[in-house]
Amino acid sequence: MQQPKALDDLRRMSARVGGNILLVQGAGGNSSVKLDDVLWVKASGAWLAEANEKEMFVPVELTGARAALAAGNEKMPVASGFGEITLRASIETSLHALMPHPVVLHVHAVNTIAWAALENVEGELATRLQGLAWQQLPYRRPGLPLSQVVAEHTGKQRADVLILGNHGLLVGAETCAAAEELVAEVERRLELKPRTAPAGDLRALHRICSGSAYRPASDEICHGLATNPVNFAIATTGSLYPDHVVFLGPALPSLAVDGDLGQLVAETVPPPVALLVPGAGAIIRQDASAGAEAMLVCLGLVVARIPEAAQLRTLPAHEEQALLNWDAERYRQQLMKARSA
Ligand SMILES: [Zn+2]
């Protein structure tokens, strides 16, 4: 199959963006390019960071995808003439089809997410993003509901930058280089200084985990969620964005440093993927996928950037349930399990 330069550009740009933990964690984020009537979009469950090594772009019929979206159908039609396609297009493909730009890039950029999880920040965002064609959208579940709200907003007024409430950043541009630069520009303007946190108390964490199915988290960023009391308060308030719920479950449970892990696990159905021990650090299930641990790192990076006095906006319980019961997400979860097995 001929590989147009635009597709090569997309691979290289995706790998660079995917390799930056401040922009993409695990299988989060996605990218696309439109070539004639084909939308090449990242496959569900694939890691952008691996875009140079693995085939991960799925050809979707652009006109067909837009028609499906208009008819309220979440299933995107795969384009023919490209051999057998076994990958499934990203859950967020409809967003890419909807945007008029040749290149669309969606990231879970940590500064943007920190802002997107706060109430009453419209004025501050307007100041910081002045001069860009941007819009702020309310939270909707990824997939059809999110696409519908994007359609509603972009139908009225062109936008190159969309701040997706309690979710992340979506940009559209003429080229891969321009999309990558636009993401960098938004993150620069929205930059928040992360709070520092004491190192994790590994001795205490190992003692708590001893004989259990848990282990201390590998990344110091995760421990900061529990060793700084402000971070701990924010992290245990509720779920801030969808991938957290999908990979780690709603919010994040906690256990006192002298608490009984066995009892907490026995009483929690399903058992928590990860939990925080205030003052000591974060622990995670030994069988957690690499994707789940990446989400815990993401939470650490986001929470450290949320100002102490800010008014948080967490996902309501019915939105958490909608994410946990969603077929497309279960498919992505299976891929993540298979990947880490
Ligand atoms: Zn997303």
Side-chain angles (χ1 to χ4, degrees):
M1 184 179 70
Q2 189 201 355
Q3 299 286 358
K5 181 180 175 297
L7 208 43
D8 274 345
D9 285 351
L10 180 67
R11 285 198 186 90
R12 277 194 287 271
M13 182 271 280
S14 299
R16 269 195 309 275
V17 169
N20 183 347
I21 189 79
L22 298 175
L23 299 178
V24 166
Q25 309 80 23
N30 34 69
S31 55
S32 71
V33 64
K34 298 179 184 83
L35 296 173
D36 299 324
D37 195 38
V38 178
L39 170 74
W40 290 89
V41 64
K42 194 203 77 161
S44 180
W47 291 40
L48 280 178
E50 298 173 343
N52 282 330
E53 299 99 62
K54 287 187 181 169
E55 201 50 65
M56 65 174 66
F57 291 97
V58 181
V60 170
E61 278 177 34
L62 182 56
T63 308
R66 286 175 173 161
L69 192 58
N73 182 356
E74 217 163 54
K75 196 162 166 17
M76 298 284 113
V78 172
S80 55
F82 298 97
E84 196 196 344
I85 309 290
T86 51
L87 298 169
R88 197 192 277 197
S90 163
I91 288 167
E92 286 161 331
T93 294
S94 47
L95 286 185
H96 294 256
L98 206 52
M99 298 282 279
H101 311 73
V103 175
V104 176
L105 177 58
H106 165 54
V107 290
H108 295 162
V110 298
N111 290 293
T112 304
I113 297 180
W115 286 102
L118 299 181
E119 300 276 14
N120 307 320
V121 291
E122 293 76 10
E124 179 79 24
L125 287 178
T127 306
R128 289 181 179 239
L129 299 177
Q130 200 172 23
L132 299 177
W134 72 282
Q135 291 189 45
Q136 184 187 13
L137 273 56
Y139 174 79
R140 292 288 185 280
R141 172 174 78 65
L144 199 55
L146 177 56
S147 300
Q148 283 166 338
V149 80
V150 168
E152 228 170 81
H153 280 70
T154 54
K156 286 183 216 139
Q157 197 187 345
R158 196 197 100 191
D160 302 327
V161 174
L162 294 174
I163 309 289
L164 310 177
N166 287 93
H167 184 153
L169 174 60
L170 181 71
V171 307
E174 289 298 313
T175 63
C176 285
E180 189 177 1
E181 174 48 33
L182 192 49
V183 161
E185 171 76 14
V186 170
E187 278 288 281
R188 260 194 306 274
R189 292 183 185 215
L190 297 186
E191 190 173 359
L192 293 161
K193 194 173 177 301
R195 256 184 307 282
T196 56
D201 181 348
L202 287 178
R203 189 186 298 196
L205 295 176
H206 278 297
R207 182 178 47 73
I208 290 168
C209 295
S210 162
S212 77
Y214 291 77
R215 61 170 170 81
S218 316
D219 198 311
E220 200 54 62
I221 293 285
C222 305
H223 298 316
L225 285 163
T227 59
N228 180 310
V230 177
N231 292 350
F232 178 77
I234 295 171
T236 51
T237 297
S239 308
L240 300 177
Y241 47 89
D243 266 7
H244 173 96
V245 179
V246 170
F247 289 94
L248 299 174
L252 209 49
S254 66
L255 177 76
V257 74
D258 57 356
D260 183 340
L261 178 59
Q263 190 185 346
L264 182 139
V265 171
E267 287 170 356
T268 314
V269 182
V273 177
L275 45 100
L276 300 181
V277 182
I283 63 175
I284 187 162
R285 283 186 66 86
Q286 288 169 12
D287 62 0
S289 65
E293 189 141 16
M295 291 313 152
L296 196 58
V297 172
C298 178
L299 186 69
L301 293 167
V302 169
V303 164
R305 284 167 170 77
I306 293 179
E308 182 172 2
Q311 200 185 338
L312 277 183
R313 187 177 51 205
T314 54
L315 298 181
H318 72 270
E319 292 289 3
E320 292 177 332
Q321 280 312 313
L323 288 163
L324 293 170
N325 296 329
W326 182 22
D327 268 358
E329 268 301 358
R330 276 205 287 266
Y331 168 79
R332 191 159 72 124
Q333 286 285 298
Q334 280 166 12
L335 289 185
M336 295 295 277
K337 283 204 184 95
R339 187 181 193 282
S340 58

